[in-house]
Amino acid sequence: MRTVEWNYSTSQFQMIDQRLLPGEFKVAVYDDYGKVAQAITNMVVRGAPAIGAAAAFGLALAAQQSIAKDIENLRADLITASDCLKEARPTAVNLAWALDRILSATVDIHGSADHLREAVLIEAQKIADEDVEINKRMAAHGAKLIDDGDTVIHHCNTGALATVDWGTALGVIRMAHEQGKHIHVLVDETRPRLQGARLTAWELTQYGVPFDIISDNAAGSFLSSRQAQKVFVGSDRTAANGDVANKIGTYMLALAAHDNDVPFYPVVPTSTMDLSLASGDMIPIEERDQAEVLGLTLLGRQVPPEGATARNPAFDVTPHRLVTGIVTENGVVYPPFDINLSKFVRPFEG
Ligand code: MRU
């Protein structure tokens, strides 16, 4: 199944509960948009494109839940639901992008409320289907950057689980493997939620791609000892100048890659670009509950002493000077990003 999908026989929304993987494969089912918003916050679903598609289907649920009999009241309910869903997580721009896209694509719908309900679901499904197609196009562009025999460092999870299907940076790696290139992946474990050790390792096992999990702080050593030739990551929001917000730890990885002349490639669908922001300083960075950092156990015991406190930013911003090229569905963009990025982003045609 896809990571997120609409069940047309029950008119419910369902998604893989990523908190439980790899130990348990469970599908969570929703018929309430407020619960979808909570599931995004709690990371039942995570990864920027998957969050965007989940929010889109959440809005389709809101349309279904609304008791409005006329189109104007339904539209008002959709705006309320969209505002609620947008609050779920702040950094991934796909969330607001998907909701705004549905609201603007349906602005000219007239007639019955049911007509609008149907149009919202059609647009949500379109967003989901396009995501898969876009990922495969990005993968084809990105795979050309990987040579036979390369070892690639990858951060967080950017695979099928982070998207509707296939993946962004991990999709590039998967494509290169399917093309017959012999590649090896060093999987950053990705503290504190361990998306690398849990989800990326689980996906790579299924694709048959050889890998080793490394602790995040080992990446610099692998880069300086020439044991890795490329770095591929995803993004939650990329600003107009090419600054890239992604999972915490990406910035340190990019610094180490730059210091060792190892190419660093974010793989970024244009739905993840926010050209309204001139630079990465303006990207809102989510700070999550300190319990995610403090909950670490070793030999069955809690690691930090009682009363310890923690800081837990979920993302950081990698400045564009550290970025070799940005892989998009329309091709690979190279510096100067402030000039070139906008040429690759086609405006949304509602
Ligand atoms: O906190 P998460 O797991 O949602 O963070 C995900 C990432 O940082 C990914 O790299 C990003 O969303 C791009 S993946 C397609």
Side-chain angles (χ1 to χ4, degrees), residues 43 46-49 51 89 156-158 162-163 168 195 234-236 246-247 315:
M43 295 174 73
R46 30 71 45 203
I51 290 171
R89 282 189 88 185
C156 194
N157 172 267
T158 66
T163 59
T168 60
Q195 289 95 329
S235 171
D236 282 75
N246 190 47
K247 178 54 53 199
F315 300 95

Side-chain angles (χ1 to χ4, degrees), residues 1-335:
M1 74 172 278
R2 287 179 168 185
T3 300
V4 299
E5 63 186 20
W6 187 264
N7 184 330
Y8 284 89
S9 40
T10 62
S11 294
Q12 288 172 313
F13 171 54
Q14 55 194 38
M15 49 192 180
I16 299 170
D17 189 339
Q18 302 192 34
R19 299 167 306 174
L20 308 177
L21 287 170
E24 188 183 346
F25 186 94
K26 188 174 159 206
V27 177
V29 179
Y30 298 88
D31 43 27
D32 177 340
Y33 79 84
K35 296 224 166 83
V36 174
Q38 269 169 26
I40 293 172
T41 304
N42 300 336
M43 295 174 73
V44 171
V45 63
R46 30 71 45 203
I51 290 171
F57 285 123
L59 201 62
L61 282 180
Q64 202 171 264
Q65 281 171 266
S66 166
I67 54 164
K69 297 227 175 355
D70 63 89
I71 201 159
E72 291 320 319
N73 283 329
L74 176 56
R75 227 183 275 286
D77 285 350
L78 288 178
I79 290 167
T80 305
S82 165
D83 290 346
C84 161
L85 285 158
K86 276 183 190 170
E87 294 284 301
R89 282 189 88 185
T91 304
V93 73
N94 305 59
L95 184 57
W97 169 85
L99 293 162
D100 290 345
R101 173 171 155 170
I102 295 179
L103 293 179
S104 64
T106 55
V107 83
D108 289 330
I109 300 282
H110 302 291
S112 73
D114 280 347
H115 194 184
L116 177 56
R117 285 189 177 90
E118 193 189 339
V120 169
L121 178 57
I122 288 172
E123 194 63 23
Q125 186 63 55
K126 229 162 123 184
I127 287 171
D129 293 342
E130 279 174 21
D131 182 60
V132 184
E133 185 241 310
I134 281 169
N135 289 338
K136 292 198 175 153
R137 273 165 55 199
M138 282 196 301
H141 292 300
K144 294 189 191 134
L145 302 168
I146 298 184
D147 294 313
D148 194 32
D150 272 353
T151 291
V152 172
I153 299 187
H154 174 272
H155 195 64
C156 194
N157 172 267
T158 66
L161 290 168
T163 59
V164 176
D165 202 355
W166 191 268
T168 60
L170 206 64
V172 166
I173 290 167
R174 182 176 172 185
M175 180 71 85
H177 169 76
E178 290 196 359
Q179 289 171 346
K181 291 177 184 166
H182 299 90
I183 54 176
H184 192 88
V185 185
L186 294 176
V187 175
D188 275 358
E189 62 180 356
T190 317
R191 281 276 293 150
R193 300 279 306 211
L194 302 173
Q195 289 95 329
R198 293 188 304 110
L199 308 176
T200 298
W202 183 73
E203 285 196 41
L204 288 175
T205 303
Q206 293 175 60
Y207 309 148
V209 180
F211 70 90
D212 290 302
I213 297 170
I214 59 171
S215 60
D216 300 335
N217 43 12
S221 163
F222 281 103
L223 288 162
S224 67
S225 58
R226 308 273 146 225
Q227 294 186 73
Q229 286 71 46
K230 314 263 157 65
V231 176
F232 281 88
V233 299
S235 171
D236 282 75
R237 195 184 295 227
T238 293
N241 68 346
D243 290 353
V244 175
N246 190 47
K247 178 54 53 199
I248 193 76
T250 304
Y251 172 45
M252 291 205 306
L253 181 58
L255 278 172
H258 192 258
D259 196 42
N260 291 287
D261 293 320
V262 173
F264 175 87
Y265 296 109
V267 182
V268 188
T270 54
S271 58
T272 307
M273 290 181 192
D274 187 350
L275 302 190
S276 74
L277 301 184
S279 75
D281 309 342
M282 300 158 85
I283 297 176
I285 298 295
E286 176 183 16
E287 179 137 1
R288 295 185 61 84
D289 195 325
Q290 55 177 325
E292 291 182 350
V293 175
L294 297 171
L296 186 66
T297 58
L298 196 64
L299 301 174
R301 292 188 171 83
Q302 182 184 305
V303 171
E306 273 319 306
T309 55
R311 294 290 306 274
N312 187 16
F315 300 95
D316 58 27
V317 175
T318 297
H320 61 273
R321 68 185 166 82
L322 304 176
V323 175
T324 310
I326 299 177
V327 181
T328 76
E329 68 269 30
N330 300 322
V332 183
V333 192
Y334 291 99

